[in-house]
Amino acid sequence: MHTQHKIILGNSQQMPELADGSVQLMVTSPPYPMIKMWDALFAQADPEIAQLWQALDANSQEETVTQIYDAMHDYLAKVWQETYRVLADGGIACINIGDATRTVNGKFQLFPNHARITEICKKIGFTTLPYILWKKPTTKPKYKGKGAFLGSGFLPPNAYVTLDCEFILIFRKGSLRKFQPHDANRYDSAFTKHQRDEWFSQIWTVKGIRQTTSELERRTAAYPEEIAYRLIKMFSIKGELVLDPFLGSGTTTKIAMLNERNSIGYESDESLLPLIKKKLCCGQIDCKVDFVKR
């Protein structure tokens, strides 16, 4: 099947390249609020966030920490709102997100990103569906500074639970999708019984990606191709359009190509372009992608 693929070098808070209701599936992993690696990205994208960090350095107030967290999610919320516009009735949005733990102003705390995004998407109008817990087997708790345990070792009560799962949040726009009887593409896109039994269980154990090549690749924090593969096969059929508004290194586009889906991805960081081209022109697929700079 001939498919079409486009990558927009620009901000996905507005997606004028896409008509209302033109996308069947969105799969993405956005920058995670309150993870230090993405502080600069949020600050560059939104001057208000940069100003709040400066204010925190000056006043060290808990209220300012809350304002930073709120502003980061307000930035992402504009993308979720635009995603709702471009999704077809019955279309699915899948968001891979991790919670954050961080010490700010000497106070260690959890920032529950998955809960905030769920609240925001519900207010936008999405129907919230059961989520998936992605358990990363590479996270191995250790002790004495060699792993993930935080706190007082073996002495209660001041240790902290290790975060070794991320969330794959799943939302639907509108009602269930409808198809013509015996739709050929739908039947040609069927998954196996083994795939159904494994994929539609709530806990996935998929090995995470280890970025060791460069700081740039580590900052993309690419999710494994297996995650994108499962979601695209579960929630779209051949010939449909898959969107990734935070494309990163291009994983969603690559998996869409390999599975006969059309795709469109947005990436505001032009320095990632060489990584995207490297991933898409890897010899596994015919690299025919339109790159558009706004």
Side-chain angles (χ1 to χ4, degrees), residues 128-144:
T128 305
L129 302 178
Y131 56 74
I132 294 162
L133 284 172
W134 169 27
K135 182 173 175 58
K136 298 182 176 182
T138 54
T139 302
K140 298 179 180 179
K142 297 181 181 179
Y143 184 52
K144 293 294 186 184

Side-chain angles (χ1 to χ4, degrees), residues 176-187:
L176 291 170
R177 291 185 59 195
K178 295 179 174 59
F179 296 88
Q180 293 295 323
H182 307 294
D183 182 286
N185 283 341
R186 191 183 188 197
Y187 276 76

